[in-house]
Amino acid sequence: MTKRAFLPLFGTFSILTLIAEAIGSASMIFATKPFLMVFLSLWFYTRTHNKNTSFRFWILLGLIFSIGGDTFLMFVENPPYWESFFLLGLGCFLVTHVSYILAFAKYPKLKSGLVYQMPFFILPFLLFLVGNTIVLWDGVPAEMKVPVVIY
């Protein structure tokens, strides 16, 4: 398969996943959603295969853990193991976020970026985080509140 195919495949599977979500087809979601991050990971890998940098490593690691997070969270509707799948998915996405933070912390042009230059621009995102947590808090089961806050 040519490296040029991965981005169109990602776009196609994105549309198919949106359609599956819209019509509520669990089998179609299971058949399309895990491939989104697979195709995106393969696209990124083929675009950066000749660049051995820590940025590339951490982004690829984050993309790989995103595949796991998406896949595990598809199973949260299946009792009696929904909590295990939820925690595995949450854990994968936590590793993903840490990987992305490490990648961009090592990005060569970090100090010339807008948020680095004017950190107050992060305030709307922090306000959204707090507001979103407040809105969703009552719907989070008691045993999941600590993992959700850590995430």
Side-chain angles (χ1 to χ4, degrees), residues 6-22 28-29 31-37 39-40:
F6 295 126
L7 208 52
L9 282 168
F10 174 77
T12 302
F13 273 70
S14 295
I15 292 167
L16 290 172
T17 302
L18 288 172
I19 292 168
E21 292 282 355
M28 191 172 166
I29 292 168
T32 59
K33 189 170 184 176
F35 289 102
L36 292 173
M37 296 312 293
F39 291 136
L40 193 60

Side-chain angles (χ1 to χ4, degrees), residues 45 84 95 122 144:
Y45 176 80
S84 298
V95 172
I122 203 164
M144 293 292 140

Side-chain angles (χ1 to χ4, degrees), residues 11-109:
T12 302
F13 273 70
S14 295
I15 292 167
L16 290 172
T17 302
L18 288 172
I19 292 168
E21 292 282 355
I23 64 174
S25 173
S27 59
M28 191 172 166
I29 292 168
F30 274 72
T32 59
K33 189 170 184 176
F35 289 102
L36 292 173
M37 296 312 293
V38 169
F39 291 136
L40 193 60
S41 300
L42 289 169
W43 173 81
F44 183 79
Y45 176 80
T46 59
R47 293 288 197 208
T48 62
H49 73 279
N50 58 348
K51 297 177 176 121
N52 193 14
T53 65
S54 62
F55 176 80
R56 175 182 179 264
F57 170 80
W58 291 114
I59 293 293
L60 279 172
L61 187 67
L63 289 168
I64 290 166
F65 272 90
S66 288
I67 296 167
D70 280 343
T71 304
F72 286 129
L73 289 181
M74 289 191 312
F75 293 98
V76 297
E77 300 294 322
N78 298 328
Y81 304 109
W82 76 269
E83 288 179 5
S84 298
F85 287 118
F86 180 76
L87 289 173
L88 286 168
L90 207 64
C92 282
F93 283 127
L94 179 61
V95 172
T96 296
H97 288 217
V98 170
S99 295
Y100 292 158
I101 289 167
L102 290 171
F104 285 102
K106 297 186 179 290
Y107 194 70
K109 295 185 179 180

Side-chain angles (χ1 to χ4, degrees), residues 127-139:
L127 291 173
F128 175 80
L129 175 65
V130 170
N132 190 48
T133 303
I134 290 168
V135 168
L136 297 176
W137 192 249
D138 288 339

